[in-house]
Amino acid sequence: MIQLNLQLFSGEKTEKPTAKKRGDARKKGQVARSQEFGQAAVLLAGLFTIKVLSGYYMDQFTHMFQFDLTGGLYYKLTDESITPLFLKFLIQLAKLILPVAGVIMVVGAFTSYLQVGSLFTLTPLMPDFKKINPIDGFKRIFSMRTFVELLKSIVKMLVIGFLVYSELKSGWMRVSQLGEMDVIDILSVISSLAFGIFWKVGLAIFAIALADLIYQRFDFVKNLKMSKQEVKEEYKQMEGSPEVKGKIKERQRAMAMRRMMSDVPKADVIITNPTHFAVALKYDPDNMESPQVIAKGVDETAQRIKKIGRESNVICVENRPLAQALYRTVEIGDAVPGDLFQAVAEVLAYVYRLKGKV
């Protein structure tokens, strides 16, 4: 009978990456990101901008050609005239480029933020000698990622080729009649045909980019998977970290404080210093042998205890020696010791008389 040694599988990466593993990878610039997604979004945004501003661009091109074909032909180039002419050309060029360039920059930054979020790191720019290792390079050449990238490139070429062919085939009749048209009609046909090709290609690339984005996230998580032993080691390291211990203690103190404050309305009396100490006592003769401390505090905590007590109609009794003694010698949840029982009993008797219980 074959016996399996389960320790052989201890290094198998079957566990999802922890938040710390993801955070460390992010600090190194390792994030799930699809370049095709940003490129497709930028292409579609640029085409949409040109389509919306087609009238504006037509006016700008008309104005530019009018100057070149009329006044520009007779413009005398001198040392004094070349500078304003060059500035005029730059302004005209800026009017053509800036609308599309501005939209492309905004969309590019937005798509990058959608994929990565706010991230700035110089780690990817640092030299990594592992990348020039021939063995690792050979592994990368025949890796699944390389195969997916090759398959993606083939699909993109086939899709783009098919779309261009189908669009040219459907518009071939108009193209064959270009010799019979004037300049305006020729420009209209060519721009319409080109826009149709680019628009369909952009949508196809965007669909491929969405699929690629899903794969990149899947592959990213897969590469960050951890073995059970790695998860245990990471937990031990985090548990021993002073920062983590401090946060755990801080949360524990906050939870204990909330529990303590929630018990204050159940108290029979609050014994005060009156300003620095406050100790809340509860006594149930049927279930307790002696009164019990359910809350205590100094300074700000004492003021909170008294405030909650007043809001809950709990009587506050000033007794400085008793308040200090109870605070220093009795922990929350413990019963009043015998040497303080007589003094506490007198306070409770006073409170019961005020409430009419005696």
Side-chain angles (χ1 to χ4, degrees), residues 310-331:
R310 287 192 298 268
E311 293 173 351
S312 304
N313 297 321
V314 179
I315 296 176
C316 293
V317 176
E318 180 181 341
N319 189 324
R320 299 186 180 187
L322 181 58
Q324 295 179 17
L326 287 171
Y327 180 82
R328 293 192 173 98
T329 59
V330 186
E331 297 298 326

Side-chain angles (χ1 to χ4, degrees), residues 15 193 275 302 341:
E15 305 301 310
L193 188 61
T275 56
F341 186 81

Side-chain angles (χ1 to χ4, degrees), residues 190-210:
I190 294 177
S191 61
S192 176
L193 188 61
F195 185 82
I197 292 174
F198 283 114
W199 186 254
K200 291 182 179 180
V201 168
L203 290 176
I205 294 178
F206 188 76
I208 296 174
L210 286 177

Side-chain angles (χ1 to χ4, degrees), residues 32 34 37 207-220:
S34 172
F37 183 78
I208 296 174
L210 286 177
D212 180 62
L213 180 61
I214 295 173
Y215 169 76
Q216 294 294 341
R217 292 185 174 180
F218 165 78
D219 187 62
F220 176 73

Side-chain angles (χ1 to χ4, degrees), residues 237-255:
Q237 292 176 2
M238 292 182 63
E239 196 177 35
S241 171
E243 293 81 4
V244 175
K245 284 185 176 180
K247 289 183 179 179
I248 292 175
K249 289 182 179 179
E250 184 179 350
R251 290 182 180 179
Q252 290 174 343
R253 286 194 295 267
M255 292 174 62

